[in-house]
PDB file of all heavy atoms in Angstrom:
ATOM      1  N   LEU K  92     -98.018  20.841 -34.039  1.00 96.00           N
ATOM      2  CA  LEU K  92     -98.166  20.789 -35.499  1.00 96.00           C
ATOM      3  C   LEU K  92     -97.738  22.052 -36.196  1.00 96.00           C
ATOM      4  O   LEU K  92     -98.078  22.276 -37.357  1.00 96.00           O
ATOM      5  CB  LEU K  92     -99.623  20.390 -35.873  1.00 96.00           C
ATOM      6  CG  LEU K  92    -100.171  19.139 -35.224  1.00 96.00           C
ATOM      7  CD1 LEU K  92    -101.592  18.910 -35.670  1.00 96.00           C
ATOM      8  CD2 LEU K  92     -99.295  17.927 -35.524  1.00 96.00           C
ATOM      9  N   ALA K 103    -100.913  18.998 -40.764  1.00 94.00           N
ATOM     10  CA  ALA K 103    -101.768  18.023 -40.096  1.00 94.00           C
ATOM     11  C   ALA K 103    -102.128  16.886 -41.041  1.00 94.00           C
ATOM     12  O   ALA K 103    -103.284  16.728 -41.439  1.00 94.00           O
ATOM     13  CB  ALA K 103    -103.009  18.699 -39.543  1.00 94.00           C
ATOM     14  N   ILE K 107     -96.252  14.172 -41.051  1.00 93.00           N
ATOM     15  CA  ILE K 107     -95.597  14.451 -39.756  1.00 93.00           C
ATOM     16  C   ILE K 107     -95.181  13.215 -39.006  1.00 93.00           C
ATOM     17  O   ILE K 107     -94.463  13.302 -38.008  1.00 93.00           O
ATOM     18  CB  ILE K 107     -96.463  15.345 -38.841  1.00 93.00           C
ATOM     19  CG1 ILE K 107     -97.697  14.569 -38.362  1.00 93.00           C
ATOM     20  CG2 ILE K 107     -96.855  16.626 -39.532  1.00 93.00           C
ATOM     21  CD1 ILE K 107     -98.318  15.138 -37.110  1.00 93.00           C
ATOM     22  N   THR K 116    -102.481   4.123 -43.636  1.00 88.00           N
ATOM     23  CA  THR K 116    -102.223   5.408 -42.982  1.00 88.00           C
ATOM     24  C   THR K 116    -103.502   6.215 -42.680  1.00 88.00           C
ATOM     25  O   THR K 116    -103.425   7.256 -42.053  1.00 88.00           O
ATOM     26  CB  THR K 116    -101.300   6.279 -43.842  1.00 88.00           C
ATOM     27  OG1 THR K 116    -101.913   6.455 -45.136  1.00 88.00           O
ATOM     28  CG2 THR K 116     -99.941   5.642 -43.987  1.00 88.00           C
ATOM     29  N   MET K 117    -104.657   5.716 -43.091  1.00 91.00           N
ATOM     30  CA  MET K 117    -105.879   6.512 -42.915  1.00 91.00           C
ATOM     31  C   MET K 117    -106.182   6.762 -41.437  1.00 91.00           C
ATOM     32  O   MET K 117    -106.472   7.888 -41.050  1.00 91.00           O
ATOM     33  CB  MET K 117    -107.075   5.809 -43.553  1.00 91.00           C
ATOM     34  CG  MET K 117    -108.361   6.609 -43.446  1.00 91.00           C
ATOM     35  SD  MET K 117    -109.688   5.697 -44.167  1.00 91.00           S
ATOM     36  CE  MET K 117    -111.040   6.227 -43.154  1.00 91.00           C
ATOM     37  N   ALA K 118    -106.148   5.754 -40.599  1.00 92.00           N
ATOM     38  CA  ALA K 118    -106.473   5.914 -39.186  1.00 92.00           C
ATOM     39  C   ALA K 118    -105.540   6.919 -38.487  1.00 92.00           C
ATOM     40  O   ALA K 118    -106.011   7.825 -37.813  1.00 92.00           O
ATOM     41  CB  ALA K 118    -106.482   4.573 -38.459  1.00 92.00           C
ATOM     42  N   PRO K 119    -104.217   6.800 -38.636  1.00 93.00           N
ATOM     43  CA  PRO K 119    -103.348   7.807 -38.013  1.00 93.00           C
ATOM     44  C   PRO K 119    -103.611   9.198 -38.551  1.00 93.00           C
ATOM     45  O   PRO K 119    -103.531  10.182 -37.799  1.00 93.00           O
ATOM     46  CB  PRO K 119    -101.943   7.349 -38.357  1.00 93.00           C
ATOM     47  CG  PRO K 119    -102.041   5.913 -38.723  1.00 93.00           C
ATOM     48  CD  PRO K 119    -103.435   5.701 -39.218  1.00 93.00           C
ATOM     49  N   CYS K 120    -103.932   9.328 -39.820  1.00 93.00           N
ATOM     50  CA  CYS K 120    -104.203  10.640 -40.379  1.00 93.00           C
ATOM     51  C   CYS K 120    -105.478  11.262 -39.790  1.00 93.00           C
ATOM     52  O   CYS K 120    -105.548  12.466 -39.559  1.00 93.00           O
ATOM     53  CB  CYS K 120    -104.318  10.578 -41.902  1.00 93.00           C
ATOM     54  SG  CYS K 120    -102.702  10.348 -42.694  1.00 93.00           S
ATOM     55  N   ILE K 121    -106.469  10.434 -39.526  1.00 95.00           N
ATOM     56  CA  ILE K 121    -107.682  10.916 -38.874  1.00 95.00           C
ATOM     57  C   ILE K 121    -107.357  11.405 -37.462  1.00 95.00           C
ATOM     58  O   ILE K 121    -107.804  12.467 -37.052  1.00 95.00           O
ATOM     59  CB  ILE K 121    -108.786   9.825 -38.830  1.00 95.00           C
ATOM     60  CG1 ILE K 121    -109.299   9.586 -40.251  1.00 95.00           C
ATOM     61  CG2 ILE K 121    -109.908  10.211 -37.891  1.00 95.00           C
ATOM     62  CD1 ILE K 121    -110.217   8.391 -40.391  1.00 95.00           C
ATOM     63  N   VAL K 122    -106.548  10.662 -36.731  1.00 95.00           N
ATOM     64  CA  VAL K 122    -106.152  11.069 -35.390  1.00 95.00           C
ATOM     65  C   VAL K 122    -105.378  12.378 -35.437  1.00 95.00           C
ATOM     66  O   VAL K 122    -105.607  13.289 -34.634  1.00 95.00           O
ATOM     67  CB  VAL K 122    -105.321   9.950 -34.716  1.00 95.00           C
ATOM     68  CG1 VAL K 122    -104.743  10.422 -33.393  1.00 95.00           C
ATOM     69  CG2 VAL K 122    -106.179   8.725 -34.488  1.00 95.00           C
ATOM     70  N   ILE K 123    -104.462  12.515 -36.398  1.00 95.00           N
ATOM     71  CA  ILE K 123    -103.697  13.761 -36.544  1.00 95.00           C
ATOM     72  C   ILE K 123    -104.636  14.919 -36.830  1.00 95.00           C
ATOM     73  O   ILE K 123    -104.503  16.000 -36.246  1.00 95.00           O
ATOM     74  CB  ILE K 123    -102.631  13.602 -37.653  1.00 95.00           C
ATOM     75  CG1 ILE K 123    -101.547  12.605 -37.225  1.00 95.00           C
ATOM     76  CG2 ILE K 123    -102.004  14.965 -37.994  1.00 95.00           C
ATOM     77  CD1 ILE K 123    -100.646  12.124 -38.363  1.00 95.00           C
ATOM     78  N   GLY K 124    -105.591  14.717 -37.719  1.00 96.00           N
ATOM     79  CA  GLY K 124    -106.565  15.778 -38.023  1.00 96.00           C
ATOM     80  C   GLY K 124    -107.421  16.144 -36.838  1.00 96.00           C
ATOM     81  O   GLY K 124    -107.659  17.332 -36.588  1.00 96.00           O
ATOM     82  N   GLU K 125    -107.869  15.159 -36.091  1.00 97.00           N
ATOM     83  CA  GLU K 125    -108.645  15.434 -34.881  1.00 97.00           C
ATOM     84  C   GLU K 125    -107.812  16.235 -33.859  1.00 97.00           C
ATOM     85  O   GLU K 125    -108.306  17.152 -33.227  1.00 97.00           O
ATOM     86  CB  GLU K 125    -109.161  14.133 -34.260  1.00 97.00           C
ATOM     87  CG  GLU K 125    -110.208  13.432 -35.077  1.00 97.00           C
ATOM     88  CD  GLU K 125    -111.546  14.162 -35.095  1.00 97.00           C
ATOM     89  OE1 GLU K 125    -111.870  14.853 -34.101  1.00 97.00           O
ATOM     90  OE2 GLU K 125    -112.262  14.052 -36.097  1.00 97.00           O
ATOM     91  N   ARG K 126    -106.568  15.829 -33.706  1.00 96.00           N
ATOM     92  CA  ARG K 126    -105.689  16.545 -32.761  1.00 96.00           C
ATOM     93  C   ARG K 126    -105.465  17.971 -33.228  1.00 96.00           C
ATOM     94  O   ARG K 126    -105.441  18.894 -32.417  1.00 96.00           O
ATOM     95  CB  ARG K 126    -104.357  15.794 -32.641  1.00 96.00           C
ATOM     96  CG  ARG K 126    -103.393  16.437 -31.688  1.00 96.00           C
ATOM     97  CD  ARG K 126    -103.901  16.374 -30.263  1.00 96.00           C
ATOM     98  NE  ARG K 126    -102.928  16.999 -29.377  1.00 96.00           N
ATOM     99  CZ  ARG K 126    -103.253  17.765 -28.342  1.00 96.00           C
ATOM    100  NH1 ARG K 126    -104.516  17.981 -28.035  1.00 96.00           N
ATOM    101  NH2 ARG K 126    -102.312  18.316 -27.625  1.00 96.00           N
ATOM    102  N   ALA K 127    -105.313  18.175 -34.531  1.00 96.00           N
ATOM    103  CA  ALA K 127    -105.159  19.544 -35.062  1.00 96.00           C
ATOM    104  C   ALA K 127    -106.380  20.373 -34.723  1.00 96.00           C
ATOM    105  O   ALA K 127    -106.249  21.532 -34.320  1.00 96.00           O
ATOM    106  CB  ALA K 127    -104.945  19.497 -36.574  1.00 96.00           C
ATOM    107  N   GLY K 128    -107.564  19.796 -34.860  1.00 97.00           N
ATOM    108  CA  GLY K 128    -108.794  20.508 -34.504  1.00 97.00           C
ATOM    109  C   GLY K 128    -108.817  20.889 -33.039  1.00 97.00           C
ATOM    110  O   GLY K 128    -109.175  22.020 -32.678  1.00 97.00           O
ATOM    111  N   GLU K 129    -108.405  19.969 -32.181  1.00 97.00           N
ATOM    112  CA  GLU K 129    -108.350  20.273 -30.730  1.00 97.00           C
ATOM    113  C   GLU K 129    -107.381  21.400 -30.432  1.00 97.00           C
ATOM    114  O   GLU K 129    -107.676  22.309 -29.662  1.00 97.00           O
ATOM    115  CB  GLU K 129    -107.906  19.014 -29.945  1.00 97.00           C
ATOM    116  CG  GLU K 129    -108.928  17.914 -29.909  1.00 97.00           C
ATOM    117  CD  GLU K 129    -108.345  16.624 -29.309  1.00 97.00           C
ATOM    118  OE1 GLU K 129    -107.164  16.586 -28.917  1.00 97.00           O
ATOM    119  OE2 GLU K 129    -109.117  15.646 -29.218  1.00 97.00           O
TER     120      GLU K 129
END
Side-chain angles (χ1 to χ4, degrees):
L92 307 179
I107 69 158
T116 57
M117 183 182 148
C120 287
I121 290 171
V122 172
I123 292 166
E125 291 290 329
R126 181 66 179 140
E129 291 172 0

